[in-house]
Amino acid sequence: MTSSSAIRELKEKLATTTALTVLTGAGISADSGVPTFRGAEGLWNNFRPEELASPEAFARNPHLVWEWYNWRRELLATKKPNPAHLTLVELERRVDNFWLITQNVDDLHPSAGTQRLSEIHGNIWKVRCTQCGQVTVNRDVPIAILPECSTCRGLLRPHIVWFGESLDPEDLQKSFEALRTCEVLLIIGTSGVVYPAASFGPVAKDHGAFVAELNLDPTPRSDLVDVAIQGRAKDLVPQLIS
Ligand code: BV8
Ligand code: ZN
């Protein structure tokens, strides 16, 4: 199927559906200048994820982990939503039952205006106290290393889900509800490597949703979805609404 006929088919579905769920990954933010994790210039290329994005790494060397997050915060502080993020805000306005599940911690969906959203891996501008558990927003760039809790002076960590850590049960519950009730699932800019997000496509497919993948390249899931369209999110997503 050519991408133009696939886009036409998907556009028709989106024009009539009353239940749309969207799953996004780092690829939707690539066009805002945010490096992806596993691409050519991927964030992970210089380090192994376990070295930095894990509770063990933070316990072993909180300074190194905060150096990395401080670098990402400085990078993200100047990044803006792109037409793909903004088109999803318009789709949320048009579709009664809309839910966006993002793996991204870059805050670009909230700043674009998306309301009905689960940030299942957390948000880079939120910090959590390792002592009292308080979660606050901290937009200091740079952030003082090592940051302390203003309530109990405990060590603050990024409020981000690391490898080996469980996702927030509320986020999971809401995500599975959105995956089980949607008529259409749009999967945009994710390599489909990280669990449990990697299992979300099959969950929606199992209950009969029309599943579309928009990605720069084919992924291991491309032959399992109804339409797989290759291209840049900033170019493809705006074409889905007339
Ligand atoms: C958990 C925080 C319970 C760090 C991240 C089976 C079941 C359950 C768990 C596991 C399992 N198998 C293994 C596990 C453990 C692990 C896991 O999945 N490991 C993987 C590596 C195999 N999962 C967990 O630990 C999760 N916890 O399940 O708890 C549990 C616990 C222990 C043991 C069992 C169960 C927690 C996962 C969360 C990890 N945290 N981030 C940080 O961000 O600082 S993951 C990290 O990868 C990011 O959050 C990122 O969002 C995520 C996924 O990456 P993508 O978004 O897909 O980005 P990527 O670069 O990979 O791909 C970009 C895509 O975009 C590419 O396809 C590219 O082609 C495309 N693209 C590029 N440019 C464009 C584009 N597309 C369109 N337009 C463009 N312009
Ligand atoms: Zn505290």
Side-chain angles (χ1 to χ4, degrees):
M1 179 189 286
T2 65
S3 71
S4 51
S5 55
I7 287 175
R8 202 173 30 256
E9 181 182 10
L10 182 51
K11 198 170 159 177
E12 280 157 17
K13 294 240 182 253
L14 291 175
T16 54
T17 185
T18 57
L20 168 64
T21 297
V22 184
L23 169 65
T24 62
I28 197 168
S29 298
D31 294 321
S32 296
V34 180
T36 60
F37 287 85
R38 297 168 184 87
E41 79 304 333
L43 276 173
W44 299 123
N45 288 354
N46 318 338
F47 336 85
R48 285 182 320 107
E50 297 70 37
E51 280 167 21
L52 291 166
S54 77
E56 295 76 17
F58 188 71
R60 196 172 47 245
N61 189 339
H63 208 280
L64 174 68
V65 173
W66 264 117
E67 292 278 345
W68 185 51
Y69 279 95
N70 190 43
W71 173 75
R72 288 174 67 194
R73 290 161 59 106
E74 286 181 345
L75 185 88
L76 284 170
T78 61
K79 301 297 181 275
K80 297 274 178 283
N82 66 56
H85 297 102
L86 298 170
T87 301
L88 294 182
V89 177
E90 176 55 25
L91 272 169
E92 176 175 4
R93 209 182 52 75
R94 295 183 183 192
V95 181
D96 293 348
N97 297 308
F98 175 96
W99 200 260
L100 172 55
I101 304 165
T102 189
Q103 299 172 86
N104 301 340
V105 300
D106 58 32
D107 195 52
L108 291 182
H109 285 303
S111 59
T114 295
Q115 309 274 322
R116 289 176 274 171
L117 169 70
S118 296
E119 292 179 295
I120 59 170
H121 292 165
N123 183 301
I124 200 153
W125 300 113
K126 288 182 182 170
V127 289
R128 183 169 81 239
C129 177
T130 55
Q131 301 302 322
C132 70
Q134 188 187 41
V135 177
T136 52
V137 173
N138 175 310
R139 289 186 178 274
D140 297 347
V141 175
I143 189 166
I145 296 179
L146 297 164
E148 285 182 0
C149 174
S150 54
T151 307
C152 75
R153 299 181 60 84
L155 174 61
L156 296 178
R157 59 162 280 179
H159 185 53
I160 280 185
V161 180
W162 285 330
F163 288 101
E165 294 186 319
S166 299
L167 278 62
D168 179 312
E170 218 176 288
D171 283 339
L172 275 178
Q173 193 267 327
K174 184 61 202 167
S175 296
F176 280 110
E177 183 194 315
L179 293 162
R180 290 199 186 104
T181 54
C182 65
E183 291 169 345
V184 179
L185 171 66
L186 265 186
I187 303 177
I188 307 172
T190 180
S191 57
V193 162
V194 172
Y195 284 84
S199 66
F200 287 178
V203 169
K205 190 100 189 81
D206 286 353
H207 94 83
F210 181 86
V211 182
E213 178 191 69
L214 276 62
N215 197 304
L216 198 57
D217 305 316
T219 74
R221 303 231 168 265
S222 297
D223 48 7
L224 303 175
V225 299
D226 296 289
V227 285
I229 309 171
Q230 267 86 56
R232 303 197 75 85
K234 74 170 174 61
D235 300 328
L236 293 179
V237 181
Q239 292 181 49
L240 300 181
I241 61 171
S242 37

